[in-house]
Amino acid sequence: MTLLISVLAVVLVGRADAVLPTDTITTFAKSSEAHGVYTSVAKFGPDFMIMSRLAGPMWVMRNGATETAAGSVGYSAGGAAASSIVVDWARGYVYYVPTGKHSVVRVAIDKTDPGAPKLKTTAVTTGSATTSGFAGDGEAGADVRFNSPRGLALGSDGTVYVADMKNNRVRFISPTGVVETFAGSGSAGSSGDGGQATSARLELPTVVAVAPDNNVLINSNAGATFFSQRFRKVAPNGVITSITPACGTSCRRLRGMTFDATGAAYLSLPHRIFKYSGGNFSSLTSLVNYSGDVGAYGGDGGEIASARLDSPGALAVDQVGSLYILSNGRVRKVRNYPPRAALSCSPMQGNAPLAITCAPTAGTFDPNGSIISYGWNFGTRLGTTTVKRVQQTHTYDTAGAKVVKLTVTDDAGVRATAEVTITVR
């Protein structure tokens, strides 16, 4: 998927007259009088999204379903909305920050019915709903104190990172529930680059995200006005540095950040969504142009560049690379169309040793983006090339039915596979 400010022409061999879909935006979930506006969104397993509402239970929907068809998960912790949600599907937990509280809540996922996953009714709370402070490093549960926690992020090992805003720190909760400080000394500021993150100064962090390479990104706000345009990056070795993205003053007031399977970063800012390909913060694409209108909403069915958003917040990417945007109390969706794979080999049969040549055909393409890699598997070895439509040769020395597989990956990290069988006598 390539989410750009104009329609991209995709050149397809033998498909010059093909009409291809563009990056259109739609409303995935809308607010209601009964449960109010949506406050956060996250990917919930391979086929679902989970969303928090201002009142009432959290809501689960299939990626491609309508709001009324999916039903809720039947769980609301006292009706508290969540300012941030992360899902550890592999370990079976949802973590969320109740809005206005000083805690992080963990709820187990019930996967008994794969077609209708939901949350269990018992919760484990880290911190206090009503008492703020800084305490509890090396401890768990009620002995921990946060001070206005905001954003959450999930590491590949099940570690949950917490933007502990008014403590000027990022803390983490280990898979066993123990809390430690990850970044920030507690003193407000922006110093410490090149040293250990725990000795650096942060100021009112609200957003934290984990990149595919396990670098942790943190917004570092310069004062209570939330007008910094600089991020901090903590490497796996604990060293902190600063990043100034190529977006100038537009990067002020960051509200959300997420990554797709290719490592591309998506940022939500006032009225805009930015994308940085490959996590390269100097390679900028503006997905949604600035509208500047408070309460702006519009553009459903059209290209994302023409959409109208008001203060977009939480972002999420599903398993097929579609982007979900919290905005105006609704969840908007920018659909990615998965790639398609097709191949041909010549000859298809013959006596050993048999040398064959294989290549993608015109049926290999990405409907609204580009294919970035072609992987070939000849059954005896695996070779990968990033050169588009390059021919691949292989020699079979033994008789039998040999399966050749082509796996293509698009620029959202989504894959498609095709195969043919070669008969070797």
Side-chain angles (χ1 to χ4, degrees):
M1 176 181 69
T2 304
L3 304 174
L4 298 178
I5 59 176
S6 61
V7 180
L8 288 180
V10 182
V11 179
L12 306 175
V13 178
R15 295 180 58 88
D17 60 346
V19 178
L20 302 178
T22 57
D23 299 312
T24 55
I25 189 169
T26 58
T27 295
F28 178 69
K30 60 185 179 180
S31 57
S32 70
E33 294 182 2
H35 297 294
V37 299
Y38 286 100
T39 60
S40 196
V41 60
K43 181 175 176 290
F44 192 62
D47 300 313
F48 297 86
M49 305 300 291
I50 187 167
M51 296 160 287
S52 168
R53 293 188 177 202
L54 194 60
M58 288 191 185
W59 200 259
V60 169
M61 286 174 57
R62 284 189 179 276
N63 294 340
T66 61
E67 184 175 13
T68 56
S72 76
V73 297
Y75 176 81
S76 66
S83 60
S84 183
I85 305 173
V86 294
V87 178
D88 187 351
W89 185 259
R91 296 166 185 83
Y93 295 110
V94 168
Y95 295 81
Y96 70 93
V97 175
T99 301
K101 308 298 183 182
H102 304 288
S103 58
V104 177
V105 178
R106 187 189 78 184
V107 186
I109 303 171
D110 183 351
K111 303 180 186 178
T112 304
D113 182 355
K118 57 185 179 181
L119 301 185
K120 296 183 179 179
T121 55
T122 54
V124 175
T125 299
T126 301
S128 169
T130 57
T131 305
S132 63
F134 173 72
D137 273 7
E139 301 179 13
D143 293 328
V144 175
R145 289 292 179 268
F146 296 112
N147 193 347
S148 299
R150 294 294 180 89
L152 299 177
L154 180 70
S156 59
D157 62 351
T159 297
V160 175
Y161 298 87
V162 184
D164 195 357
M165 183 178 72
K166 291 186 178 179
N167 277 326
N168 297 311
R169 291 176 168 94
V170 171
R171 318 276 288 280
F172 71 82
I173 305 173
S174 74
T176 60
V178 176
V179 172
E180 297 284 359
T181 293
F182 176 73
S185 64
S187 298
S190 58
S191 62
D193 280 359
Q196 287 296 301
T198 50
S199 300
R201 291 190 175 193
L202 304 177
E203 189 160 3
L204 301 175
T206 57
V207 176
V208 60
V210 181
D213 59 6
N214 292 318
N215 285 310
V216 178
L217 282 296
I218 306 164
N219 70 328
S220 185
N221 299 304
T225 54
F226 296 92
F227 277 170
S228 173
Q229 58 198 61
R230 186 174 72 156
F231 308 145
R232 310 295 287 278
K233 179 177 76 172
V234 182
N237 63 2
V239 174
I240 191 169
T241 54
S242 292
I243 298 174
T244 302
C247 54
T249 56
S250 296
C251 273
R252 294 174 175 177
R253 305 192 72 172
L254 176 70
R255 297 170 59 88
M257 181 188 300
T258 193
F259 292 84
D260 67 18
T262 69
Y266 298 85
L267 276 60
S268 59
L269 302 136
H271 312 288
R272 285 182 172 179
I273 304 295
F274 283 162
K275 176 184 178 180
Y276 296 86
S277 297
N280 178 1
F281 285 92
S282 63
S283 176
L284 170 66
T285 299
S286 180
L287 304 185
V288 179
N289 291 331
Y290 180 76
S291 67
D293 298 332
V294 176
Y297 170 72
D300 274 4
E303 295 177 44
I304 184 174
S306 302
R308 295 165 67 84
L309 303 175
D310 179 27
S311 300
L315 301 170
V317 177
D318 67 16
Q319 82 282 359
V320 295
S322 296
L323 177 68
Y324 297 77
I325 306 165
L326 179 72
S327 177
N328 313 85
R330 304 170 176 89
V331 178
R332 313 287 290 279
K333 178 180 179 179
V334 183
R335 181 179 176 185
N336 179 51
Y337 294 83
R340 302 173 190 177
L343 74 154
S344 65
C345 297
S346 180
M348 293 292 292
Q349 58 182 328
N351 297 323
L354 180 66
I356 64 170
T357 299
C358 300
T361 66
T364 298
F365 65 97
D366 186 51
N368 63 332
S370 59
I371 293 174
I372 62 173
S373 71
Y374 293 73
W376 295 92
N377 188 332
F378 292 92
T380 57
R381 64 180 178 88
L382 179 63
T384 300
T385 178
T386 57
V387 180
K388 295 182 179 180
R389 299 188 179 89
V390 64
Q391 291 184 341
Q392 297 294 301
T393 60
H394 182 74
T395 299
Y396 289 108
D397 295 319
T398 59
K402 312 294 185 179
V403 177
V404 179
K405 293 183 180 181
L406 168 64
T407 300
V408 298
T409 305
D410 72 4
D411 51 357
V414 182
R415 296 179 177 179
T417 299
E419 62 182 49
V420 296
T421 299
I422 307 297
T423 301
V424 183
R425 295 185 291 268

